[in-house]
Amino acid sequence: MEKKFIIAGNWKMNMTVSDSLNFFKEIEEKLSKIDNKSGLDKVEIIIFPPAVSLYSLASLNSSIKLGAQNMYFEEKGAFTGEISAEMVKESAEYILAGHSERRWIFKESDEEIFRKLKRALDTGLTPILCVGETLEDRESQKTFDRIGKQLSEGLRGIEQKMLDNIYIAYEPVWAIGTGKTATPEIAEEVQSFIARQMTSITGSIYRKPILYGGSVKPSNCKDLLEMENINGLLIGGSSLKTDTFFDIIATSLELI
Ligand code: PGA
C-alpha cells in the first residue's frame, strides 16, 4: 500500500499568537526548500495551536492544516469559557478528542468524549480520538482492556458511515512528556490491536491513519514510522521548535 503520513503538532498551552505566526513563517520557509515536493503531497502536516491563534493562522492560507485542541459538545449558548465546533470550523479542519491531559487533568469521561466526537462529526470536522493506557494499566496487563473500552465507549452510537471520518491516535499516558517513548514494537503491538478493533467496530477493514504520540523526537521518529500500523505522529514537545518539527517532517519524507 502506498505510504502516507500525518505529522501533527499539539502545542498544548504553549505559543502566543505572535510565536505561532513566526513558527509558520519559519516552517514554510524550510518547506519551500525541500526538493521532494511530490513527497510532500503524501505528508499531511497539521498543527493544533491554542484556540486564540486559529483565526490568524487560518488567514495565512498555509499548506499546513489546522486543528483545535478542544471544543465543547453543545451547539452554542451559556457555557462561559468554551468554544463550539462551529467556531472551530471557521478556521480548522481537525479536532483532538480524548487527549490524556483532558481525560486525566480535566476528568473528561468517555461519555463526554463521545458527545464531542458526535458534535465534531456533525459539524464536518475530522476528529482525532486519542486513546492510551496509564503505567498502572500496563503493569497490571490492562492495556488492551483500557484501550478497547476507550474505543468502544467513545465510538458507541456514532453512525457507521461517520466512523470512517475519525482518526485514532495511540498515546500511552506514561510516554507523554516524560521522555519515555514506547518502543516501536510496543507501539506496533497496540496499534495493530487498534486496527483490529476498528475493523470490528466499523465492520470493514480499517484503513484510516493510526497515529502514535508520546515523546516523539527526531531521533526516534524513523523507527516508529517504519512500523506497519503507525501512519502518523502526534507530537507535543518536539513540535514547539521549527528545527525539531521540520526534522521529523524531513524523516517522514525519506520513508515515502
Ligand atoms: P509529547 O506529547 O510529544 O510532549 O510527549 C505528545 C502529546 O501529548 O500529544
Side-chain angles (χ1 to χ4, degrees):
M1 204 167 70
E2 190 191 47
K3 271 272 180 192
K4 269 193 176 180
F5 292 123
I6 292 186
I7 303 295
N10 172 15
W11 285 353
K12 311 189 180 185
M13 200 172 73
N14 296 292
M15 310 281 256
T16 61
V17 178
S18 43
D19 293 338
S20 308
L21 290 167
N22 285 337
F23 180 100
F24 267 58
K25 193 165 158 258
E26 266 179 54
I27 201 94
E28 288 284 6
E29 229 167 85
K30 286 176 187 282
L31 290 171
S32 70
K33 295 194 186 118
I34 281 181
D35 292 333
N36 184 1
K37 288 274 184 302
S38 61
L40 267 183
D41 293 342
K42 298 188 190 111
V43 177
E44 187 169 353
I45 306 169
I46 312 170
I47 290 286
F48 292 85
V52 287
S53 296
L54 280 172
Y55 189 74
S56 317
L57 292 174
S59 324
L60 299 176
N61 286 319
S62 161
S63 60
I64 299 172
K65 306 266 176 68
L66 292 169
Q69 297 173 18
N70 189 31
M71 51 160 255
Y72 194 50
F73 52 73
E74 292 290 357
E75 191 179 350
K76 60 167 130 172
F79 303 104
T80 301
E82 296 293 332
I83 60 169
S84 72
E86 195 78 30
M87 294 170 192
V88 171
K89 184 76 198 314
E90 252 185 355
S91 310
E93 286 172 52
Y94 291 91
I95 181 87
L96 288 182
H99 189 280
S100 66
E101 285 149 20
R102 304 283 334 161
R103 289 179 191 268
W104 299 103
I105 304 175
F106 299 100
K107 309 281 179 267
E108 266 180 27
S109 64
D110 283 321
E111 169 67 20
E112 281 170 86
I113 294 162
F114 156 73
R115 294 179 74 178
K116 285 187 186 194
L117 286 174
K118 180 137 180 38
R119 174 69 61 201
L121 288 165
D122 287 346
T123 312
L125 293 166
T126 300
I128 301 185
L129 170 62
C130 305
V131 295
E133 81 285 10
T134 61
L135 187 58
E136 202 187 330
D137 294 333
R138 178 155 285 275
E139 285 172 345
S140 54
Q141 274 82 46
K142 297 222 169 77
T143 297
F144 298 110
D145 289 352
R146 170 76 74 184
I147 292 169
K149 182 164 175 288
Q150 288 174 336
L151 289 174
S152 59
E153 303 264 302
L155 300 174
R156 167 197 55 84
I158 304 274
E159 266 178 88
Q160 206 68 15
K161 63 175 194 322
M162 289 290 207
L163 286 171
D164 246 12
N165 301 334
I166 300 177
Y167 298 172
I168 310 290
Y170 168 52
E171 296 211 310
V173 181
W174 50 270
I176 295 179
T178 57
K180 278 190 213 150
T181 327
T183 61
E185 291 72 24
I186 291 181
E188 174 63 20
E189 188 189 20
V190 178
Q191 307 220 173
S192 65
F193 167 78
I194 293 173
R196 287 196 303 278
Q197 289 295 106
M198 288 305 290
T199 294
S200 104
I201 292 172
T202 59
S204 59
I205 293 181
Y206 188 72
R207 295 188 198 282
K208 287 279 159 188
I210 304 177
L211 286 70
Y212 168 80
S215 296
V216 173
K217 35 188 183 276
S219 60
N220 60 23
C221 64
K222 181 164 184 282
D223 292 345
L224 288 161
L225 286 175
E226 274 174 346
M227 293 288 141
E228 191 184 333
N229 287 289
I230 302 183
N231 326 99
L233 301 169
L234 184 53
I235 308 157
S238 297
S239 71
L240 295 173
K241 297 243 161 20
T242 50
D243 285 353
T244 43
F245 192 59
F246 181 77
D247 276 354
I248 296 174
I249 297 170
T251 305
S252 74
L253 283 169
E254 286 167 21
L255 299 173
I256 293 287

